[in-house]
């Protein structure tokens, strides 16, 4: 079982909508049903809770429709000495940059030490950085700059493994990759540049490999809580493999959020992740 994934930050969709277009999924002319979005979001939270996870809530802010996608808030790191470190995201698109101070304020107010990335390159938080086997798998290209991941390694002490993303429709790593336990993960070969796929293939001992069409249904954008997996979509073949591996599969309809290019994982930020320690200071 994963040693993280039992505590999440979420943000209700009170002000959610598709108000701008910053990825190939978003079309302003497609209306979002806010009541339906709220029902779907409640169902995600209920599924996480039934699976045994605890949930903390970030207050929504008018004018920040994508704040619901808390996966992008930043990177969380609980140090061995118990200190809770939060590294806020720096969004690539100006449309989301207003979220940065909101996220930072929440973490500061809840007792987290906020450390910023040096430099000014974009980094979109856990959407592009997922822990696996004691290291941090880091997607880059569309939203996060590879050099920002290197800076993140310096700030957190994490060992980062870079994987360049290949398909703009799968613009964050968490749309392609889902750690399942210490050996297993969902991966999407077609979503990575060749060197990135070579890294994933050798780093993940037991892989559930998605076809591109399966990944485009946001099958990998799932949240694992112990042996429950809460999914955006689950093709039958994928469900059979997950069940054979001992997982209980729960699918939650989040179609309103898919209109903005996000699924179940994007709606959550794991708060119980440990990445390592920062490099010891000189002297
Ligand atoms: N509309 C949001 C954006 O384009 C969706 C974010 C999806 N988040 C994720 N972790 N994949 O930024």
């Amino acid at each position: 079982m994963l040693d993280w994934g039992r505590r999440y930050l979420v943000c209700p969709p009170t002000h959610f909508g598709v108000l701008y277009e910053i990825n190939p999924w978003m079309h302003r002319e497609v209306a979002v049903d806010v009541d339906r979005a709220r029902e779907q979001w409640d169902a995600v939270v209920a599924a996480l809770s039934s699976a045994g996870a605890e949930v903390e809530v970030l207050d929504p802010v008018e004018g920040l429709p994508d704040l619901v996608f808390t996966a992008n808030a930043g990177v969380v790191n609980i140090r061995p000495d118990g200190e809770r470190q939060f590294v806020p995201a720096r969004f690539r698109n100006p449309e989301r940059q207003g979220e940065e101070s909101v996220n930072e304020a929440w973490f500061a107010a809840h007792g987290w030490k906020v450390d910023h990335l040096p430099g000014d390159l974009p980094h979109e938080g856990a959407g592009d950085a997922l822990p696996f086997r004691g290291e941090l798998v880091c997607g880059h290209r569309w939203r996060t700059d590879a050099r920002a991941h290197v800076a993140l390694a310096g700030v957190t002490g994490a060992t980062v493994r870079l994987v360049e993303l290949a398909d703009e429709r799968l613009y964050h790593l968490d749309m392609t990759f889902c750690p399942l336990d210490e050996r297993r993960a969902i991966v999407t070969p077609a979503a990575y540049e060749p060197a990135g796929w070579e890294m994933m293939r050798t780093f993940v001992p037991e892989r559930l490999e998605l076809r591109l069409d399966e990944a485009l249904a946001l099958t990998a954008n799932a949240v694992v809580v112990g042996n429950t997996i809460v999914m955006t979509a689950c093709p039958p073949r994928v469900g059979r493999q997950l069940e054979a591996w001992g997982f209980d599969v729960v699918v939650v309809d989040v179609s309103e959020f898919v209109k903005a290019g996000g699924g179940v994982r994007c709606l959550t930020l794991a708060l119980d992740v440990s990445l390592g320690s920062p490099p010891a200071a000189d002297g």
Side-chain angles (χ1 to χ4, degrees):
M1 256 192 237
L2 293 177
D3 59 4
W4 58 280
R6 300 201 169 264
R7 193 172 192 88
Y8 293 95
L9 180 67
V10 295
C11 173
T14 319
H15 305 293
F16 172 65
V18 178
L19 307 186
Y20 46 74
E21 300 177 4
I22 59 170
N23 68 53
W25 302 71
M26 300 176 89
H27 304 288
R28 258 170 306 186
E29 65 274 16
V30 176
V32 164
D33 182 332
V34 179
D35 295 334
R36 192 140 181 265
R38 179 67 204 215
E39 286 164 22
Q40 294 178 345
W41 186 87
D42 286 341
V44 171
V45 171
L48 295 173
S49 307
S50 324
E54 287 180 58
V55 164
E56 299 200 41
V57 177
L58 169 72
D59 286 333
V61 175
E62 195 174 352
L64 298 175
D66 279 339
L67 195 63
V68 292
F69 298 115
T70 51
N72 300 121
V75 171
V76 158
N77 178 26
I78 303 186
R79 297 262 175 77
D81 65 3
E83 183 179 76
R84 298 181 297 158
Q85 178 185 40
F86 175 67
V87 182
R90 222 164 16 223
F91 286 93
R92 177 173 299 263
N93 302 95
E95 289 87 343
R96 292 196 68 180
Q97 287 167 0
E99 298 176 35
E100 294 168 12
S101 58
V102 176
N103 293 324
E104 187 176 333
W106 187 91
F107 279 89
H110 288 78
W112 294 70
K113 180 169 182 286
V114 177
D115 288 327
H116 291 97
L117 288 176
D120 56 7
L121 294 168
H123 192 293
E124 297 202 353
D128 271 327
L130 289 166
F132 187 62
R133 290 174 75 83
E135 301 185 22
L136 195 61
V137 179
C138 292
H140 63 95
R141 181 171 187 168
W142 308 110
R143 295 300 188 82
T144 299
D145 192 285
R147 288 162 294 177
H149 284 309
V150 176
L152 179 71
V155 170
T156 60
T159 303
V160 300
R161 286 192 172 252
L162 297 175
V163 49
E164 187 175 359
L165 301 173
D167 189 314
E168 195 177 3
R169 294 167 296 179
L170 302 169
Y171 54 91
H172 280 137
L173 177 71
D174 67 3
M175 306 172 88
T176 73
F177 174 59
C178 181
L180 296 171
D181 60 26
E182 272 309 306
R183 295 183 49 81
R184 295 166 171 145
I186 298 175
V187 299
T188 309
Y192 316 121
E193 290 296 334
W197 168 231
E198 184 56 20
M199 184 282 285
M200 296 296 266
R201 200 180 59 74
T202 50
F203 186 52
V204 182
E206 291 183 61
R207 298 173 301 281
L208 201 171
E209 297 182 7
L210 299 184
R211 297 190 313 259
L212 189 57
D213 64 302
E214 293 168 333
L216 289 171
L218 299 184
T219 303
N221 201 253
V223 175
V224 175
V225 183
N227 51 24
T228 301
I229 178 164
V230 183
M231 305 183 76
T232 306
C234 185
R237 157 190 103 82
V238 172
R240 282 192 295 274
Q241 179 64 76
L242 289 168
E243 279 162 12
W245 280 346
F247 289 92
D248 291 329
V249 175
V250 178
V251 178
V252 181
D253 177 12
V254 289
S255 54
E256 295 304 315
F257 300 96
V258 172
K259 294 174 179 173
V264 173
R265 168 67 81 180
C266 308
L267 292 168
T268 66
L269 177 67
L271 293 174
D272 55 355
V273 172
S274 295
L275 300 177
S277 307
D282 285 15

